[in-house]
Amino acid sequence: MNPSPSPTPVDVFVHTAPPADWQVLAAFAPLLAAVIAALIAGAALWQKWRADNRAEWWRRAQWALEASMSNEPKRAEMGQQAINLLGSSKLATPEDGALLKIGTEDPLEAAYYAQLAEGADNVAISDDVEARLERVDDSETRRDNEGDNNDDTGR
């Protein structure tokens, strides 16, 4: 068999129209979906982080409230200081601050001072409550006087 000569090459030209706008946008759809998914995941992680921190804040607030009501003066003072610190936290909402205030407020003391504020002349209280009120007044006086010992140099 005789070899046959190779055919001459044929040039083929394919003319295509430019892509439509929707086709260009469709090429970016996976990227857009990935960005949206990342935003949703970031928001979920932030919400979980915030909820975990608030739960830990509340656990500490419960401890501080229980400690502030202790019969041991050192523990009660430490609990009150913790409440003051927790109340100023960024995690504390205004409602949390109100709860901390209510939780540390002595109802008998509050009623006594409310009656005095209303101008009641004869406020009847028991000897036990009166002794507790005197202790509160004494401790407030001591706290107020602690600042008087400081000189102008800030020491």
Side-chain angles (χ1 to χ4, degrees):
M1 282 218 199
N2 289 341
S4 60
S6 61
T8 59
V10 177
D11 293 330
V12 177
F13 295 99
V14 177
H15 296 281
T16 58
D21 291 340
W22 68 269
Q23 290 172 322
V24 173
L25 292 176
F28 289 102
L31 177 64
L32 181 63
V35 168
I36 291 172
L39 289 174
I40 291 171
L45 285 173
W46 182 83
Q47 190 275 337
K48 182 183 180 331
W49 173 82
R50 177 101 172 138
D52 289 347
N53 285 345
R54 292 253 320 125
E56 183 63 21
W57 180 92
W58 182 246
R59 190 184 66 75
R60 290 176 181 157
Q62 285 175 323
W63 175 88
L65 286 168
E66 290 172 7
S68 71
M69 298 299 174
S70 174
N71 291 334
E72 301 171 27
K74 290 271 188 194
R75 182 179 166 105
E77 183 180 343
M78 190 169 45
Q80 188 59 48
Q81 289 175 356
I83 287 172
N84 293 339
L85 183 65
L86 289 168
S88 63
S89 170
K90 291 179 183 178
L91 294 172
T93 64
E95 292 83 11
D96 294 333
L99 285 172
L100 288 176
K101 184 177 180 184
I102 290 169
T104 58
E105 193 173 76
D106 185 350
L108 296 175
E109 180 184 334
Y112 172 74
Y113 285 121
Q115 286 179 351
L116 286 179
E118 291 172 0
D121 292 331
N122 294 332
V123 178
I125 58 173
S126 70
D127 292 337
D128 178 47
V129 173
E130 188 169 354
R132 286 171 50 196
L133 290 175
E134 287 174 9
R135 283 196 312 261
V136 169
D137 288 340
D138 288 345
S139 67
E140 287 175 0
T141 304
R142 278 196 303 271
R143 261 186 265 136
D144 291 342
N145 290 337
E146 285 175 359
D148 295 342
N149 296 334
N150 295 342
D151 59 311
D152 293 332
T153 61
R155 289 185 265 151

